[in-house]
Amino acid sequence: SPTNYRSPQHVLTLINGLELTDGYLETGNAYAGLVPGHFIYEVGNEIESTEEAVQDLIEQGFSPESIAVLSFRGAKNSKVLENTLSELNGLTVRKQMGRDPKSGDIIWSDGALLVDTLFRFKGQCADAIVLTEIDINEWDQITKNKLFVGLTRARLTINLVMTKETEALFVQRGFT
């Protein structure tokens, strides 16, 4: 459908500006939303920049329970999903810790702030999203699809945590 009803207008403007879909998407959502934020990280300080993005959302009035932190890297390469990480910005995190050997059910840690991978969160949404660890080397269809999925998880706003190189790719496509 050429009309997107879930995403706020500012997020849809970003999707269109980055040309993440084959055609222009029209907004069916009357809510403008908040302007997407972006935070830059150097390799090695992903956690600190992610914490800044979370703090920004809390200062805007979002509760930790209404925020989802999603890793663009996936579980195996993510710093925010490492088993040793139990807090972000002083908030306990809720993340997958493995599976129950008997039932096969997912075991979750206790925490207020959900931290997960982008693809495990596919099909879900949260009021505020922190899409973190975005390190793009080439602008291909897989990258565009991942960004589209990540951006459309946000009901109200999104903060992007990316490398300087990724920011340069975004700027080339009109994101400032």
Side-chain angles (χ1 to χ4, degrees), residues 151-171:
L151 290 169
T152 57
R153 303 304 93 205
R155 279 192 290 253
L156 302 176
T157 194
I158 188 164
N159 279 345
L160 305 169
V161 182
M162 63 184 78
T163 62
K164 286 185 180 190
E165 294 78 16
T166 300
E167 181 188 38
L169 288 173
F170 274 49
V171 168

Side-chain angles (χ1 to χ4, degrees), residues 31-176:
Y31 181 64
L34 302 168
V35 175
H38 75 284
F39 298 79
I40 305 303
Y41 76 89
E42 298 285 333
V43 174
N45 79 341
E46 296 90 333
I47 301 296
E48 293 83 358
S49 297
T50 301
E51 288 178 327
E52 289 176 31
V54 169
Q55 183 61 35
D56 177 66
L57 293 172
I58 289 171
E59 289 173 1
Q60 291 182 51
F62 291 96
S63 69
E65 295 80 11
S66 68
I67 301 169
V69 177
L70 306 178
S71 173
F72 196 79
R73 285 187 188 158
K76 291 181 182 175
N77 299 314
S78 174
K79 298 285 187 194
V80 298
L81 286 168
E82 288 181 348
N83 283 337
T84 57
L85 184 74
S86 61
E87 289 188 357
L88 271 177
N89 204 40
L91 303 167
T92 56
V93 298
R94 181 175 179 260
K95 63 183 176 180
Q96 290 188 20
M97 299 301 291
R99 292 196 176 266
D100 183 287
K102 292 182 182 179
S103 68
D105 293 339
I106 296 171
I107 300 170
W108 290 89
S109 63
D110 291 328
L113 182 68
L114 178 67
V115 178
D116 209 345
T117 68
L118 171 60
F119 279 116
R120 284 196 299 227
F121 199 72
K122 188 175 179 182
Q124 302 177 65
C125 58
D127 289 346
I129 297 290
V130 174
L131 187 56
T132 189
E133 300 178 313
I134 307 171
D135 186 5
I136 299 170
N137 297 321
E138 73 180 274
W139 198 257
D140 58 13
Q141 193 60 48
I142 292 171
T143 297
K144 290 168 62 173
N145 290 346
K146 284 176 71 174
L147 285 170
F148 179 83
V149 169
L151 290 169
T152 57
R153 303 304 93 205
R155 279 192 290 253
L156 302 176
T157 194
I158 188 164
N159 279 345
L160 305 169
V161 182
M162 63 184 78
T163 62
K164 286 185 180 190
E165 294 78 16
T166 300
E167 181 188 38
L169 288 173
F170 274 49
V171 168
Q172 288 174 358
R173 285 157 181 81
F175 175 77
T176 56

